[in-house]
């Protein structure tokens, strides 16, 4: 029997994990699926999601639901197992589409990680390597369901640098596009990222214009080396150091027209003290940035991130 926990204040409940071992040994092996739904709230949504999955022989392993108080919206994320012979992928898409139409969904997505293509991304970076290197290593180790189509930078790198050797070894194109205040090379960048699913700014120290954001309508994820909404803009570590803070942080957020003001996906913090100097602030910050960026990308790829209100997110 699964355990259900309900929070009165947010009307949130979680169905705890059910182990694969509790299921009978399937033949053929079961596949794993993820479904997220964001729609106007109404009676019976959870029941219909369960019915949709169960009617095809599927079994829900984990479910999260969020219904904010005094707002007519419903969020859910379900992980389930199913027999791909009994529930073919095309039929699943049709069933989920019918479900989304029934509830007039703002967003309804189903993903089968073992079957569906990995997310195709381009990574932007400037001079500093730490976030880029950590992301490349995570991709190499198979920790993220992504394919890196290219790395784009406004800084050139020496051919024998560790980044360039890694990219060459894995056949990942590197595009050096030197920028000026008058020319951000955005038309060329747009040509390079046309076929991507989303973009990652791994310490890319250029501001993307409103025109670029309008012409690239997909999500762009940025890492900011500060605990937003404090210390926006440049040199946040220096700002934090001179402000005498006792906690420093890193923030991963979606890119919007207003600098460093997009919906926040993930934040991490670390304690500092009067014993720290600016260098130790920067070192601690860089470590947080790497972790924060990877966790945000992983959450995004696992369909854990949904829009909430104008400038917030639900992260299951």
């Amino acid at each position: 029997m699964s355990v259900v926990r309900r929070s009165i204040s947010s009307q949130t409940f979680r169905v705890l994990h059910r182990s694969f071992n509790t299921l009978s040994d399937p033949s053929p092996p079961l596949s794993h699926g993820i479904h997220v739904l964001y729609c106007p709230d109404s009676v019976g949504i959870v029941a219909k999601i369960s019915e949709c999955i169960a009617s095809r022989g599927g079994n829900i392993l984990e479910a999260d639901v969020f219904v904010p108080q005094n707002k007519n919206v419903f969020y859910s994320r379900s992980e389930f197992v199913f027999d791909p012979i009994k529930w073919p992928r095309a039929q699943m898409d049709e069933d989920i589409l019918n479900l989304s139409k029934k509830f007039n969904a703002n967003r309804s997505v189903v993903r089968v990680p073992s079957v569906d293509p990995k997310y195709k991304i381009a990574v932007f970076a400037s001079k500093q390597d730490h976030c880029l290197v950590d992301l490349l290593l995570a991709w190499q180790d198979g920790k993220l369901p992504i394919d890196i189509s290219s790395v784009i930078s406004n800084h050139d790198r020496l051919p024998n640098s560790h980044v360039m050797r890694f990219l060459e070894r894995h056949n990942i194109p590197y595009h050096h596009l030197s920028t000026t205040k008058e020319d951000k090379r955005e038309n060329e960048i747009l040509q390079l990222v046309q076929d991507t699913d989303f973009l990652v700014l791994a310490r890319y120290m250029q501001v993307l214009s409103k025109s670029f954001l309008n012409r690239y309508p997909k999500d762009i994820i940025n890492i900011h080396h500060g605990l937003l909404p404090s210390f926006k803009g440049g040199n946040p570590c220096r700002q934090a150091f001179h402000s005498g803070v006792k906690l420093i942080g890193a923030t991963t957020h979606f890119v919007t027209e207003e600098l460093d003001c997009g919906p926040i996906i993930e934040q991490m913090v670390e304690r500092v003290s009067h014993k720290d100097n600016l260098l130790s602030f920067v070192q601690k910050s860089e470590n947080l940035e790497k972790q924060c960026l990877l966790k945000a990308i992983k959450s995004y790829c696992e369909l854990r991130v949904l829009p909430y209100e104008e400038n917030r997110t639900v992260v299951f």
Side-chain angles (χ1 to χ4, degrees):
M1 176 67 69
S2 298
V3 179
V4 177
R5 183 174 66 207
R6 177 177 290 274
S7 169
I8 297 175
S9 61
S10 64
Q11 301 181 44
T12 306
F13 73 77
R14 176 183 292 272
V15 180
L16 299 183
H17 288 277
R18 278 193 270 176
S19 169
F20 280 90
N21 295 330
T22 64
L23 304 173
S24 58
D25 185 22
S27 182
L30 298 181
S31 293
H32 175 255
I34 306 169
H35 174 248
V36 293
L37 180 66
Y38 162 39
C39 66
D41 190 27
S42 65
V43 175
I45 301 178
V46 173
K48 287 298 182 182
I49 294 173
S50 300
E51 179 184 340
C52 175
I53 295 172
S55 66
R56 298 295 184 179
N59 191 36
I60 295 177
L61 300 179
E62 180 182 357
D64 285 288
V65 168
F66 174 57
V67 181
Q69 284 187 340
N70 304 319
K71 297 183 184 298
N72 185 40
V73 290
F74 173 96
Y75 297 88
S76 75
R77 180 182 182 275
S78 305
E79 294 193 28
F80 57 95
V81 289
F82 67 98
D83 184 339
I85 294 179
K86 295 180 181 178
W87 201 7
R89 189 68 180 83
Q91 182 64 57
M92 180 183 294
D93 283 337
E94 183 179 337
D95 292 343
I96 296 300
L97 178 61
N98 292 335
L99 186 71
S100 63
K101 288 180 178 178
K102 179 178 179 64
F103 293 108
N104 194 26
N106 303 79
R107 181 174 298 186
S108 179
V109 180
V110 65
R111 182 166 176 81
V112 180
S114 62
V115 175
D116 295 347
K118 294 181 179 180
Y119 293 94
K120 187 176 181 181
I121 74 167
V123 182
F124 291 46
S126 289
K127 188 174 182 180
Q128 292 178 298
D129 284 342
H130 58 282
C131 287
L132 172 60
V133 169
D134 213 52
L135 178 54
L136 291 173
L137 292 176
W139 166 79
Q140 178 183 246
D141 294 342
K143 295 179 179 179
L144 298 170
I146 59 172
D147 279 327
I148 300 175
S149 64
S150 64
V151 173
I152 299 170
S153 180
N154 60 322
H155 283 266
D156 201 4
R157 284 174 166 80
L158 296 174
N160 64 343
S161 66
H162 62 292
V163 169
M164 295 304 290
R165 292 199 305 268
F166 182 98
L167 297 177
E168 183 178 359
R169 188 162 64 247
H170 293 280
N171 296 314
I172 299 174
Y174 182 84
H175 302 284
H176 169 224
L177 299 176
S178 180
T179 61
T180 64
K181 289 183 179 181
E182 296 74 25
D183 185 6
K184 300 292 186 179
R185 311 287 293 273
E186 290 186 342
N187 290 328
E188 295 163 81
I189 292 173
L190 281 167
Q191 291 295 319
L192 295 172
V193 302
Q194 280 186 344
D195 297 330
T196 55
D197 295 308
F198 65 95
L199 305 179
V200 174
L201 309 187
R203 291 298 302 272
Y204 185 63
M205 309 309 289
Q206 298 291 311
V207 179
L208 298 175
S209 71
K210 178 180 178 180
S211 172
F212 182 94
L213 298 179
N214 288 336
R215 288 183 291 167
Y216 187 85
K218 302 171 188 176
D219 290 324
I220 304 174
I221 296 175
N222 179 56
I223 180 66
H224 178 74
H225 46 305
L227 193 61
L228 294 175
S230 299
F231 311 124
K232 297 177 183 177
N235 296 313
C237 283
R238 186 179 295 274
Q239 294 180 53
F241 177 73
H242 289 300
S243 297
V245 300
K246 302 307 179 188
L247 288 173
I248 60 169
T251 303
T252 310
H253 64 95
F254 290 114
V255 174
T256 58
E257 291 179 24
E258 190 173 356
L259 179 65
D260 295 334
C261 288
I264 292 171
I265 305 170
E266 183 60 60
Q267 290 185 299
M268 292 184 178
V269 297
E270 183 170 337
R271 182 164 293 280
V272 291
S273 76
H274 58 279
K275 296 180 181 180
D276 284 285
N277 56 31
L278 183 56
L279 177 59
S280 64
F281 260 55
V282 171
Q283 291 172 337
K284 290 180 178 181
S285 175
E286 289 183 352
N287 188 49
L288 290 173
E289 292 161 33
K290 295 186 292 184
Q291 298 176 62
C292 190
L293 180 59
L294 289 188
K295 186 173 181 182
I297 295 172
K298 188 172 188 291
S299 294
Y300 182 89
C301 293
E302 292 177 349
L303 305 183
R304 296 184 182 276
V305 184
L306 291 167
Y308 175 43
E309 296 184 328
E310 182 179 354
N311 202 41
R312 299 170 67 185
T313 56
V314 170
V315 182
F316 285 122

